[in-house]
Amino acid sequence: MSVWTVLLAAGSGTRLAQASGGVKKQFLRLAGKPLYWRSLATFAQCPEMAGIVVVFPPDDLDEARAELTALLAKKDPGVAVAVTAGGVRRQDSVANGLAALPAGCRTVLVHDAARPFVDAGLIARVLDALAAGAGAVIPALPVTDTVKEARDGLVVRTLDRKSLAAVQTPQGFDLGLLRRAFAAAGEGCDVTDDASLVEHLGLPVAIVAGSPENRKITNPEDLALLAERAAPAHPVVGYGYDVHRYADPLKPGKQPARPMKLGGYPILGAPEVLAHSDGDVLLHALTDAILGCVAAGDIGTLYPDSNPDFDNMASGVFVSEALILARSKGLTISHVDLTIIAQIPRIHPHAQAIRLNVAALLGLDRSQVNVKATTEEGLGFTGEKKGIKAVAVVTGLRRPVTDPDAPAS
């Protein structure tokens, strides 16, 4: 099948006008982009899709075309994209979209941009039914409410909900059949969906399972759906590990020896550590763990020890800078688990002070920070009292940021 989609983004959105500040619903922002882009990106990811015609309101055509061109320049969807103006009625907008299709198109999907949460599975069900021979296909959901026919404020009759279905888009068609249905309908026929035109020809329309998530943004209360879906958070874990050698007081080296700090807390009487910065092994591991949550590299890349500006730098600065960077990328830290590995000094007397210091540095409650210590039973360089290790695990939620250059969701 040579498949194209006509994406209808030409409505006036009068029912939402007051709640949206006059912005037409297809141009409301979702994850920093206009609402119609969400559907465009979803359809573009379907392997069968050759292209998409976006139908905009005539009054907004130039501005909308310019914004779409800018979006396409930043993120190529991988399919052809064309633009045309809509008409007075929905079916007029569809007709204009059909007129913009290329000669090679044989199958068309028609989708309302006001349904931004359409998914690939639903699109595939429509395409599979068309591939199996159906000339027209609609997705639908069973009606669960009791439905009554009413007139002048009175019930006329109760309809059998077993025979009713709530129809969604995308609706799929053999292009030749849909064009024939439009021609037969004439100017006097006014319908709310394209399958109705095929029904007027007396031809069958197949039904596939719709999706409860494929909601339409229509009324002011529907705007809450955009807020909920704008930036779904996902859990992330960052891991950090660092090692520092102890200074040998009998063999002074070229690298400076620093008084030991752990989590920014001075450990009096402990061995000095060799380091370019202040040598806080715990905060160095923590910095790497924070950076790991947002895939931002490591402390050595961002703050190399070859840079003299970082000579004896307080490691809390590294943590703070990493935290600013991570927050700009949507990270909210929920928990920090820190482990110090050393034969000396004894960490237990300082653990709570370190915990409070780290919690304050991160802006967390102390219940969100755990500090523990262990030895390596005399094994390895830590067991031989030659150095100290630290491990940090940071867990949190990362919410996609509003970034016009980010890939389409």
Side-chain angles (χ1 to χ4, degrees):
M1 295 184 292
S2 176
V3 183
W4 278 66
T5 294
V6 172
L7 181 59
L8 297 175
S12 59
T14 53
R15 280 175 285 187
L16 271 177
Q18 185 173 356
S20 65
V23 179
K24 296 173 182 176
K25 57 188 174 184
Q26 63 269 38
F27 301 123
L28 293 171
R29 312 312 283 186
L30 180 62
K33 300 178 178 67
L35 192 65
Y36 71 81
W37 180 265
R38 176 70 172 258
S39 295
L40 188 153
T42 301
F43 280 89
Q45 291 168 4
C46 297
E48 300 88 348
M49 201 59 53
I52 299 168
V53 175
V54 188
V55 186
F56 288 125
D59 293 344
D60 302 307
L61 183 61
D62 291 340
E63 185 178 350
R65 190 200 304 270
E67 181 178 36
L68 176 56
T69 300
L71 288 169
L72 294 172
K74 293 176 181 176
K75 173 62 178 178
D76 182 359
V79 300
V81 178
V83 171
T84 192
V88 177
R89 302 171 300 173
R90 182 186 189 280
Q91 65 206 68
D92 298 327
S93 294
V94 175
N96 290 354
L98 298 182
L101 294 173
C105 178
R106 296 291 178 268
T107 303
V108 63
L109 303 182
V110 181
H111 183 66
D112 295 327
R115 293 185 184 271
F117 306 121
V118 62
D119 60 76
L122 174 56
I123 298 170
R125 290 195 291 275
V126 174
L127 290 174
D128 287 347
L130 291 168
V137 181
I138 60 172
L141 294 173
V143 173
T144 56
D145 293 328
T146 297
V147 179
K148 297 181 183 290
E149 183 180 345
R151 188 178 300 116
D152 299 326
L154 296 174
V155 172
V156 175
R157 60 176 174 148
T158 300
L159 303 177
D160 181 4
R161 66 185 180 191
K162 294 179 182 178
S163 64
L164 300 176
V167 178
Q168 301 178 328
T169 65
Q171 299 186 358
F173 304 92
D174 172 87
L175 180 56
L177 171 61
L178 186 58
R179 282 178 168 158
R180 183 154 60 95
F182 265 90
E187 289 297 322
C189 182
D190 195 0
V191 297
T192 57
D193 80 329
D194 311 293
S196 299
L197 298 174
V198 177
E199 294 167 33
H200 288 166
L201 289 178
L203 298 176
V205 176
I207 296 177
V208 298
S211 169
E213 298 297 312
N214 189 25
R215 298 275 298 277
K216 189 175 183 180
I217 306 301
T218 303
N219 298 308
E221 56 268 25
D222 298 328
L223 295 177
L225 294 172
L226 302 185
E228 292 169 5
R229 302 292 190 88
H234 58 275
V236 291
V237 177
Y239 176 85
Y241 172 82
D242 196 37
V243 174
H244 279 302
R245 182 186 298 274
Y246 289 155
D248 186 342
L250 301 178
K251 298 178 181 178
K254 296 181 180 179
Q255 193 174 22
R258 312 294 191 191
M260 182 182 291
K261 292 181 180 178
L262 293 174
Y265 181 79
I267 310 298
L268 301 181
E272 292 185 319
V273 296
L274 299 178
H276 180 67
S277 66
D278 70 354
D280 193 323
V281 67
L282 189 61
L283 292 188
H284 291 181
L286 177 58
T287 300
D288 268 351
I290 294 170
L291 295 173
C293 286
V294 293
D298 59 51
I299 189 172
T301 301
L302 298 179
Y303 313 111
D305 58 12
S306 59
N307 189 332
D309 292 341
F310 303 133
D311 182 35
N312 204 24
M313 176 72 73
S315 296
V317 174
F318 301 146
V319 173
S320 296
E321 291 295 319
L323 197 58
I324 292 170
L325 174 62
R327 285 173 174 164
S328 75
K329 293 180 178 292
L331 178 66
T332 299
I333 295 175
S334 57
H335 190 263
V336 174
D337 191 21
L338 305 171
T339 304
I340 302 164
I341 305 157
Q343 200 71 30
I344 56 170
R346 288 188 68 245
I347 303 301
H348 179 73
H350 313 288
Q352 289 306 309
I354 295 170
R355 179 188 184 196
L356 292 173
N357 230 37
V358 171
L361 185 59
L362 297 177
L364 300 176
D365 185 83
R366 64 179 179 179
S367 63
Q368 296 173 279
V369 177
N370 186 50
V371 175
K372 55 189 184 293
T374 186
T375 69
E376 291 187 303
E377 302 294 338
L379 301 174
F381 80 94
T382 60
E384 295 173 4
K385 305 178 183 179
K386 294 180 179 179
I388 187 170
K389 301 177 184 177
V391 173
V393 177
V394 172
T395 55
L397 293 174
R398 187 177 179 189
R399 192 173 297 274
V401 295
T402 301
D403 179 0
D405 297 323
S409 54

